[in-house]
């Protein structure tokens, strides 16, 4: 009796410990989810969302100092009068840009990134990711205090700030984001192209003026006229003349004086090469550039221009439109593909299988039911899996829906929530799968082929979708994987008290009886086919014998007919 009491007490303690560990595990899972769903419940640093409006606004602000440095530094270096006349203003603008550069580095230390589809807000992880990136090295070099060279070279040498050009990646990033946000991306692309042309001509005009100063103003007809002439001594005339002359060279239109000096010949050769290889091609095929711009993106991603036009035509509400924009931006920023099968459709079958396996093997190997499967099932599955991307808060499936697909989580996290949409029962992560219960037709399932849970995406989630027909086709040749899935489904249904074991036993008995009947019918059919084949063989043999007998009779009759004829001939 004492032994039994001790055993019961030990069992009670073990149950308490297990319950405590389960609560701690649930608490560990729910804590980050609470923080991500409700930022007000925690105290954290200010973090920028790379797909948010505030980050986009900051990118547009950074366009100003980057453009300023690319346009003004070369101008001040070549047109020395500009540097001397507005020295105080330039120094003020220079250091204002440096402050913005410094604030940009600070902003990068506060810019989150996506991990498993969820925005990372940990300052230490963000700082570590930024410090090991090449972007940090470019940003650091672009902010080196090269202005200290002013002490030796003087304040009128703005070329010492040439390292400020290295922040150009922020300009391109701002342009890329703008193309996905504005309603008229083609018009923006034309404006961007014209801006590039202006910068090239601007740089060329500055170098032309500096070369004219080096050779000597007015020394020949090719260089800039002598600045002692009041008409050509004005600063505005100097820049406009140089810009006009450079435009004539680079666009290869209009007559220009022939070069006289070796430096002038070299300048003209370089400019003509730029014109032939660059602007002649761009300006000569403007329409094709506009129509084919982002052709590669359209091959990989949905045609967002058509989506924008559709939303605009039917006046879709702003909230839903913003949700669509966020989803599309997530696809482009993070290079997510939704039409892999179409992209690989022109490859040979074996090569397409090899490519798909090499890309998705790491994901499939994390799924429990596929870890010990042979290579054949993986090769079949990778060609049938269809990638899908879900936005934060979007339901993948809801309880009661008809189940036609199962899902495998490639990246991201999904929550199993109650009908109220708030209470969370569990969290599914990378490598987990769900939805197999409703498409496996497990015997005794009270829900039938209906969904038994609400699954909602926490952040951005990448899933693989496998339809009921495709799964059935694959599992037909691989019964072991089918057995594992069905067994797992029965365990889940038992825990949820949605498996009728009596009904399952009855269905199994009926299935076995049906299989016996089918087998008996197959045996009978086989026997009938054998008898029919024997009868057909006998019939064929009889027909051959009958044919030979008829031929024999015809031959004998022909002989009888020939005898009277021969007798009549003899008489």
């Amino acid at each position: 009796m004492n032994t039994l009491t001790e055993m019961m007490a030990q069992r009670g303690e073990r149950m308490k410990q297990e319950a405590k560990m389960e609560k701690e595990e649930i608490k560990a899972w729910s804590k980050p989810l609470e923080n991500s769903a409700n930022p007000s419940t925690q105290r954290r640093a200010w973090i920028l969302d790379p797909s948010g409006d505030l980050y986009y606004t900051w990118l547009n602000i950074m366009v100003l100092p980057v453009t300023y440095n690319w346009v003004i530094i070369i101008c001040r270096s070549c047109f020395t009068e500009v540097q001397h006349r507005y020295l105080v203003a330039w120094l003020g603008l220079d250091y204002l840009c440096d402050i913005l550069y410094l604030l940009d580095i600070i902003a990068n230390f506060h810019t989150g990134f996506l991990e498993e589809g969820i925005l990372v807000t940990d300052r230490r992880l963000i700082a570590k990711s930024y410090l090991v990136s090449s972007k940090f090295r470019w940003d650091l070099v672009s902010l080196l205090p090269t202005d200290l060279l002013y002490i030796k070279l003087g304040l009128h040498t703005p070329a010492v700030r040439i390292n400020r050009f290295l922040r150009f990646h922020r300009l391109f990033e701002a342009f890329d984001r703008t193309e996905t946000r504005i309603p008229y991306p083609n018009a923006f692309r034309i404006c961007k192209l014209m801006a590039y042309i202006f910068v090239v001509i601007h740089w060329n005009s500055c170098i032309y003026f500096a070369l004219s100063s080096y050779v000597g103003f007015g020394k020949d007809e090719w260089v800039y006229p002598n600045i002692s002439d009041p008409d050509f001594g004005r600063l505005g005339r100097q820049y406009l003349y140089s810009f006009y002359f450079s435009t004539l060279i680079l666009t290869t239109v209009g007559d220009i004086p022939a070069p006289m000096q070796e430096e002038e010949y070299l300048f003209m050769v370089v400019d003509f090469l730029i014109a032939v290889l660059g602007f002649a091609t761009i300006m000569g095929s403007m329409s094709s550039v506009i129509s084919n711009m982002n052709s590669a993106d359209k091959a990989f991603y949905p045609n967002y221009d058509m989506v924008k036009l559709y939303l605009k035509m039917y006046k879709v509400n702003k909230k839903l439109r913003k949700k669509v924009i966020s989803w599309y931006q997530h696809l482009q920023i993070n290079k997510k593909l939704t039409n892999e099968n179409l992209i690989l459709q022109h490859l040979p079958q074996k090569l397409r299988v090899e490519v798909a396996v090499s890309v998705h093997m790491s994901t499939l190997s994390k799924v429990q039911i596929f870890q010990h499967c042979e290579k054949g099932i993986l090769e079949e599955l990778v060609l049938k899996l269809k990638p899908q991307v879900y936005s934060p808060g979007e339901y993948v499936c809801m309880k009661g829906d008809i189940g036609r697909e199962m899902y495998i989580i490639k990246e991201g996290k999904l929550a199993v929530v109650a009908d109220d949409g708030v209470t969370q029962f569990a969290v599914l992560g990378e490598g987990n799968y769900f939805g197999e219960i409703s498409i496996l037709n497990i015997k005794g399932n009270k829900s039938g082929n209906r969904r038994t849970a609400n699954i909602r995406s926490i952040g951005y989630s990448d899933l693989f979708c496998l339809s009921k027909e495709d799964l059935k086709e694959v599992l037909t040749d691989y019964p072991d994987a089918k057995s594992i899935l069905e067994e797992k489904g029965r365990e889940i249904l038992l825990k949820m008290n949605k498996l009728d074991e009596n009904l399952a036993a009855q269905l199994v008995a009926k299935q076995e009886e049906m299989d016996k009947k089918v087998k008996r019918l197959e045996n009978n059919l086989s026997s009938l086919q054998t008898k029919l084949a024997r009868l057909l063989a006998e019939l064929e043999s009889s027909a051959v014998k009958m044919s030979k007998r008829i031929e024999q009779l015809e031959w004998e009759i022909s002989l009888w007919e020939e005898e009277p004829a021969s007798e009549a001939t003899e008489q």
Side-chain angles (χ1 to χ4, degrees):
M1 186 69 179
N2 294 333
T3 305
L4 180 61
T5 304
E6 291 177 357
M7 292 177 63
M8 293 295 292
Q10 292 176 359
R11 183 179 180 185
E13 291 179 358
R14 285 198 302 269
M15 291 178 66
K16 289 180 180 179
Q17 291 178 357
E18 291 176 358
K20 184 177 179 180
M21 293 174 63
E22 186 175 356
K23 289 181 180 179
E24 291 178 353
E25 185 177 357
I26 294 174
K27 185 178 180 181
W29 274 107
S30 60
K31 187 174 181 180
L33 295 177
E34 270 181 20
N35 294 339
S36 61
N38 185 12
S40 62
T41 60
Q42 61 174 340
R43 186 178 181 182
R44 65 182 186 183
W46 174 66
I47 298 298
L48 282 172
D49 184 354
S51 61
D53 294 336
L54 189 59
Y55 182 80
Y56 175 66
T57 302
W58 176 251
L59 280 179
N60 288 331
I61 293 175
M62 285 303 299
V63 169
L64 300 176
V66 175
T67 305
Y68 166 82
N69 285 320
W70 271 91
V71 174
I72 299 301
I73 290 180
I74 184 67
C75 183
R76 291 159 53 191
S77 300
C78 297
F79 293 90
T80 56
E81 186 179 349
V82 174
Q83 174 70 11
H84 288 77
R85 184 181 298 183
Y86 307 105
L87 178 61
V88 177
W90 296 136
L91 292 177
L93 291 173
D94 286 346
Y95 296 117
L96 176 60
C97 291
D98 289 350
I99 292 173
L100 290 176
Y101 274 27
L102 181 60
L103 291 177
D104 185 52
I105 293 180
I106 297 174
N108 283 320
F109 277 108
H110 290 78
T111 301
F113 61 93
L114 292 180
E115 184 175 353
E116 294 187 349
I118 301 176
L119 182 66
V120 174
T121 58
D122 190 333
R123 285 279 304 280
R124 290 173 297 178
L125 294 177
I126 294 172
K128 182 179 178 181
S129 176
Y130 178 54
L131 289 173
V132 298
S133 65
S134 60
K135 185 168 67 173
F136 172 73
R137 292 190 289 272
W138 286 102
D139 293 347
L140 186 62
V141 173
S142 68
L143 201 57
L144 290 177
T146 54
D147 299 56
L148 296 176
L149 294 174
Y150 282 148
I151 300 174
K152 183 177 180 180
L153 302 177
L155 291 176
H156 300 294
T157 54
V160 299
R161 294 176 52 84
I162 196 172
N163 61 319
R164 301 316 191 258
F165 295 164
L166 299 179
R167 197 67 67 95
F168 62 90
H169 61 86
R170 292 302 252 179
L171 185 67
F172 296 151
E173 185 178 1
F175 287 166
D176 291 340
R177 296 294 178 88
T178 302
E179 284 188 15
T180 61
R181 282 177 172 261
I182 63 175
Y184 304 102
N186 287 331
F188 175 77
R189 291 165 191 154
I190 295 175
C191 295
K192 182 174 67 173
L193 180 62
M194 298 304 295
Y196 290 156
I197 295 173
F198 166 79
V199 171
V200 172
I201 297 177
H202 170 77
W203 270 67
N204 194 73
S205 61
C206 293
I207 297 173
Y208 164 76
F209 188 82
L211 180 60
S212 298
S213 176
Y214 172 78
V215 173
F217 294 118
K219 188 173 182 180
D220 53 49
E221 293 183 356
W222 187 89
V223 297
Y224 185 82
N226 199 323
I227 59 175
S228 60
D229 187 340
D231 292 336
F232 294 98
R234 292 182 292 108
L235 182 60
R237 173 61 68 87
Q238 293 174 7
Y239 180 79
L240 288 177
Y241 183 94
S242 301
F243 195 90
Y244 169 76
F245 194 85
S246 297
T247 305
L248 292 179
I249 299 175
L250 293 176
T251 57
T252 63
V253 296
D255 295 330
I256 55 175
M260 305 296 291
Q261 307 293 328
E262 294 180 356
E263 296 85 354
E264 298 171 1
Y265 278 108
L266 181 61
F267 182 85
M268 290 291 292
V269 168
V270 173
D271 272 15
F272 280 140
L273 288 176
I274 294 174
V276 171
L277 299 177
F279 285 96
T281 302
I282 294 174
M283 300 303 293
S285 57
M286 178 69 75
S287 59
S288 62
V289 169
I290 297 173
S291 61
N292 295 325
M293 192 152 329
N294 285 344
S295 60
D297 286 346
K298 290 180 181 179
F300 284 86
Y301 309 109
N303 190 344
Y304 188 54
D305 295 339
M306 296 178 62
V307 176
K308 281 183 177 180
L309 182 60
Y310 177 87
L311 298 177
K312 183 180 179 181
M313 286 178 58
Y314 289 94
K315 299 179 180 179
V316 177
N317 64 77
K318 187 176 180 180
K319 183 178 180 181
L320 182 56
R321 193 185 308 170
K322 187 175 181 180
K323 189 175 181 181
V324 173
I325 291 174
S326 300
W327 181 83
Y328 181 82
Q329 282 191 342
H330 173 74
L331 291 185
Q332 274 207 316
I333 294 172
N334 297 281
K335 308 302 179 185
K336 305 294 183 182
L337 304 181
T338 59
N339 56 347
E340 294 183 0
N341 293 333
L342 294 177
I343 295 172
L344 302 176
Q345 64 180 343
H346 298 297
L347 291 177
Q349 177 73 14
K350 290 296 183 181
L351 187 57
R352 186 163 72 249
V353 169
E354 291 181 10
V355 172
V357 168
S358 66
V359 172
H360 301 305
M361 179 64 73
S362 59
T363 300
L364 289 177
S365 62
K366 296 177 182 178
V367 181
Q368 183 180 2
I369 62 172
F370 301 136
Q371 286 179 351
H372 303 290
C373 291
E374 54 186 292
K375 185 179 179 181
I377 190 172
L378 298 179
E379 292 180 350
E380 291 193 29
L381 282 175
V382 292
L383 295 179
K384 298 182 183 297
L385 294 176
K386 299 175 182 177
Q388 294 183 356
V389 179
Y390 289 87
S391 304
E394 185 177 358
Y395 280 90
V396 179
C397 63
M398 299 188 70
K399 186 186 296 184
D401 292 345
I402 297 176
R404 298 186 179 89
E405 305 93 6
M406 73 168 292
Y407 298 92
I408 301 172
I409 303 176
K410 177 185 178 184
E411 183 180 336
K413 292 183 179 180
L414 292 89
V416 182
V417 298
D419 294 337
D420 58 8
V422 178
T423 307
Q424 296 180 352
F425 298 120
V427 175
L428 305 176
E430 181 180 353
N432 293 128
Y433 58 94
F434 61 92
E436 74 283 1
I437 296 176
S438 58
I439 66 173
L440 284 175
N441 295 326
I442 298 176
K443 298 176 178 62
N445 186 2
K446 296 179 181 179
S447 302
N449 63 340
R450 302 280 180 172
R451 300 293 189 188
T452 59
N454 300 313
I455 309 294
R456 188 178 65 187
S457 177
I458 299 174
Y460 284 99
S461 302
D462 296 346
L463 308 180
F464 283 130
C465 174
L466 184 63
S467 67
K468 183 176 182 178
E469 291 75 14
D470 291 338
L471 179 65
K472 184 178 179 181
E473 182 182 348
V474 173
L475 294 181
T476 300
D477 299 328
Y478 301 94
D480 293 339
K482 182 179 180 180
S483 301
I484 294 174
L485 273 175
E486 291 180 347
E487 185 63 29
K488 184 67 176 178
R490 280 191 287 269
E491 292 177 1
I492 295 174
L493 289 175
L494 282 173
K495 291 180 181 180
M496 299 175 64
N497 196 23
K498 290 191 176 184
L499 181 64
D500 190 340
E501 296 183 355
N502 295 328
L503 179 60
Q506 294 175 6
L507 292 174
V508 170
K510 288 183 179 179
Q511 184 66 34
E512 291 178 353
E513 184 179 355
M514 185 65 68
D515 291 340
K516 290 180 181 179
K517 290 181 179 179
V518 171
K519 188 174 182 180
R520 187 162 55 251
L521 289 173
E522 289 178 350
N523 292 333
N524 294 335
L525 180 60
S526 178
S527 177
L528 290 174
Q529 288 176 344
T530 302
K531 291 180 180 180
L532 180 61
R534 187 181 299 116
L535 289 173
L536 290 174
E538 293 177 356
L539 179 61
E540 185 178 358
S541 176
S542 299
V544 171
K545 291 179 180 179
M546 184 66 70
S547 177
K548 290 182 178 180
R549 181 59 180 165
I550 291 172
E551 290 178 358
Q552 180 69 23
L553 290 174
E554 290 177 349
W555 180 71
E556 292 178 356
I557 290 171
S558 64
L559 290 177
W560 293 343
E561 291 177 351
E562 289 177 359
E563 288 180 359
S566 60
E567 291 178 357
T569 304
E570 291 176 358
Q571 293 177 0

